[in-house]
Amino acid sequence: MSEQFSIGTKCVQAGYRPGNGEPRQIPIIQSTTFKYDTSEDMGKLFDLEASGYFYTRLQNPTNDYVAAKIAALEGGTAGMLTSSGQAANFFALFNICQCGDHIVSSSSIYGGTFNLIAVTMAKMGITVTFVSPDCSEDELEAAFQENTKAVFGETIANPALTVLDIEKFAQAAHRHGVPLIVDNTFPTPVNCRPIEWGADIVTHSTTKYMDGHGAGVGGAIVDSGKFDWMAHADKFPGLTTPDESYHGITYAEKFGLEGAFITKATAQLMRDFGSIQSPQNAFLLNLGLESLHVRMPRHVENGLACAEFLQKQPKVEFVNYPGLPGNAYYEIAQKYMPNGGCGVVSFELKGGRPAAEAFMKELRLAAIETHVADARTCCLNPATSTHRQMNDEQLAAAGIPAGMIRLSCGLEDKADLIADLTNALNAIG
Ligand SMILES: *Cc1c(COP(=O)(O)O)cnc(C)c1O
């Protein structure tokens, strides 16, 4: 969809343009396979000589409409959907890294992604150097090796809520001839478009705000089309030398800057790992996307209102929200996300675990869930749930105090949310 349209218009209409007499809503192509008149027609698809569909594990029209919308929202040239955010980050990295390669990653990232890179990809022979998102230029520079193939970070990290200096990380990546991959799940392209700041590839857990209603797990990858693989051909042989499993085509030559990365990820990784999103879930994801630009400002408004309220409460030790003046990331958040970031706030209650338990038991609107970023407000106390194997000392060392609560502000009326918090604070002895 043409660049001239605003992000909100793209949320509603990009990706799918029905022809005369065709359905106005995206059709759900609930079919594993597609029929052809001649084997010659189908052969062209297998050779990547013609574009079209033959088996939904590789591509499905419903998914492609939605992926095209997400690519348009991020300002990229091509996109693909995956079955989850985990699959999106794995594919984005594994598409350019192989055994013997190395990744530079921000240490402040989602726990699942941290484990994927630090443990599971290590078993594949891919090593990593983690750097603080706040590291100096010199520290960042020192993390690179001869075999570094990618730099990775999250715009706003889940759950630490640190903010990535995208320009700093992009410039360092480009000095070393490798792309910057940014997981943009929390702000969504409505609040931040990392490609405009130099990121080369953007990933999403669409499970969060994009779906927005807690209905379907999913992921997405968008390529900016800007990274010149051929200029660093020796680093990326998978893109710049012939693929024998596709009759010797060279992705970067045949599909150009704008198409090589996503075509390779589809043709090789989807074919072999099969982490496709179901067309039904892609349809639900698109319903979420149609209102993303209307919902995100409300999540931000509620997040800021709850953060400001909590900051004034004597029973609260500290509040972490990058949109709050005085937060360590306030300035950088203003630079990259002038309209606000997301609706997730974390705060520490005085009184540790017992205070957190008493508080959460009393909440009526905010449900206790491991999920974040949907229409209904939810919360989590890591010490009694995701991190319950740790004692108080271990929690403190990990920067997760026992009394810490992660609050994901939904779309309810903010006065009702604040009343719920007030009531629960009163229950702490
Ligand atoms: C949730 C999340 C993921 C993982 O996504 P799933 O859809 O749960 O697989 C990755 N990155 C971030 C920032 C997330 O919040």
Side-chain angles (χ1 to χ4, degrees):
M1 192 175 199
S2 157
E3 278 303 311
Q4 83 205 40
F5 290 107
S6 72
I7 190 95
T9 302
K10 289 181 188 170
C11 281
V12 185
Q13 294 215 15
Y16 172 66
R17 304 295 289 169
N20 195 32
E22 288 181 355
R24 186 73 173 101
Q25 181 53 283
I26 289 181
I28 305 172
I29 308 295
Q30 195 69 52
S31 181
T32 56
T33 191
F34 300 81
K35 90 150 252 264
Y36 288 92
D37 291 337
T38 66
S39 27
E40 196 191 339
D41 289 343
M42 182 173 270
K44 285 188 187 139
L45 301 178
F46 273 95
D47 289 352
L48 301 179
E49 281 301 327
S51 61
Y53 299 93
F54 54 97
Y55 191 53
T56 286
R57 165 149 50 74
L58 280 98
Q59 273 184 296
N60 174 283
T62 310
N63 291 14
D64 281 356
Y65 297 138
V66 182
K69 175 178 282 189
I70 296 174
L73 292 176
E74 288 288 5
T77 55
M80 70 194 285
L81 299 188
T82 57
S83 55
S84 67
Q86 286 299 111
N89 282 324
F90 174 59
F91 278 21
L93 290 164
F94 199 64
N95 205 32
I96 46 175
C97 296
Q98 61 187 27
C99 183
D101 288 344
H102 173 259
I103 297 163
V104 173
S105 174
S106 164
S107 56
S108 185
I109 54 174
Y110 177 68
T113 313
F114 190 93
N115 199 72
L116 167 70
I117 297 174
V119 180
T120 300
M121 291 184 75
K123 291 179 188 162
M124 300 171 169
I126 297 165
T127 54
V128 59
T129 300
F130 287 109
V131 293
S132 159
D134 314 325
C135 66
S136 68
E137 300 263 352
D138 289 347
E139 285 164 336
L140 186 51
E141 214 39 51
F144 285 84
Q145 304 178 1
E146 268 305 293
N147 56 345
T148 301
K149 298 297 167 72
V151 178
F152 183 87
E154 289 177 11
T155 318
I156 303 179
N158 176 13
L161 304 178
T162 57
V163 178
L164 190 75
D165 188 343
I166 301 171
E167 284 187 317
K168 177 176 85 177
F169 277 73
Q171 283 161 11
H174 297 159
R175 271 199 299 279
H176 292 270
V178 302
L180 172 65
I181 303 174
V182 172
D183 181 332
N184 196 35
T185 296
F186 266 20
T188 82
V190 169
N191 284 336
C192 182
R193 288 178 296 284
I195 291 171
E196 292 175 1
W197 300 100
D200 301 286
I201 289 143
V202 174
T203 59
H204 282 278
S205 166
T206 62
T207 316
K208 313 292 166 47
Y209 290 116
M210 281 191 168
D211 170 297
H213 301 78
V217 172
I221 309 174
V222 173
D223 179 17
S224 68
K226 289 184 179 153
F227 193 84
D228 191 348
W229 308 105
M230 278 304 191
H232 309 282
D234 54 321
K235 283 190 195 291
F236 305 104
L239 283 150
T240 61
T241 60
D243 178 358
E244 293 313 329
S245 69
Y246 277 107
H247 310 287
I249 63 159
T250 299
Y251 292 98
E253 273 172 5
K254 187 157 175 76
F255 301 101
L257 292 186
E258 63 286 353
F261 187 87
I262 294 293
T263 306
K264 176 178 181 290
T266 303
Q268 291 180 343
L269 303 184
M270 266 313 173
R271 179 193 62 189
D272 297 352
F273 292 107
S275 308
I276 196 76
Q277 189 164 138
S278 78
Q280 182 78 44
N281 276 8
F283 175 83
L284 293 172
L285 168 57
N286 185 59
L287 288 184
L289 290 170
E290 286 183 3
S291 64
L292 186 65
H293 59 302
V294 182
R295 293 184 287 110
M296 286 311 291
R298 181 65 171 256
H299 282 293
V300 168
E301 181 188 333
N302 284 354
L304 186 59
C306 288
E308 283 171 342
F309 165 80
L310 288 163
Q311 199 176 35
K312 291 194 217 111
Q313 305 309 309
K315 290 177 181 171
V316 174
E317 182 70 37
F318 81 86
V319 178
N320 182 16
Y321 185 69
L324 212 50
N327 182 279
Y329 297 93
Y330 180 76
E331 274 80 28
I332 191 169
Q334 291 295 309
K335 172 180 167 180
Y336 291 109
M337 293 164 271
N339 298 325
C342 65
V344 182
V345 178
S346 69
F347 61 99
E348 182 189 358
L349 288 171
K350 291 177 184 163
R353 225 178 279 246
E357 269 168 313
F359 173 84
M360 289 178 52
K361 202 159 71 186
E362 208 56 33
L363 288 167
R364 273 171 286 183
L365 288 175
I368 302 173
E369 292 172 24
T370 55
H371 190 50
V372 287
D374 85 54
R376 291 153 295 246
T377 295
C378 57
C379 66
L380 183 83
N381 172 229
T384 51
S385 56
T386 49
H387 294 65
R388 65 180 292 130
Q389 74 283 2
M390 294 186 178
N391 63 32
D392 286 7
E393 288 72 42
Q394 289 169 324
L395 285 169
I400 307 166
M404 188 171 115
I405 289 173
R406 182 182 68 186
L407 179 70
S408 170
C409 297
L411 299 175
E412 301 90 343
D413 192 296
K414 68 185 172 202
D416 289 335
L417 292 180
I418 288 171
D420 199 28
L421 296 174
T422 307
N423 185 52
L425 283 169
N426 287 339
I428 305 173

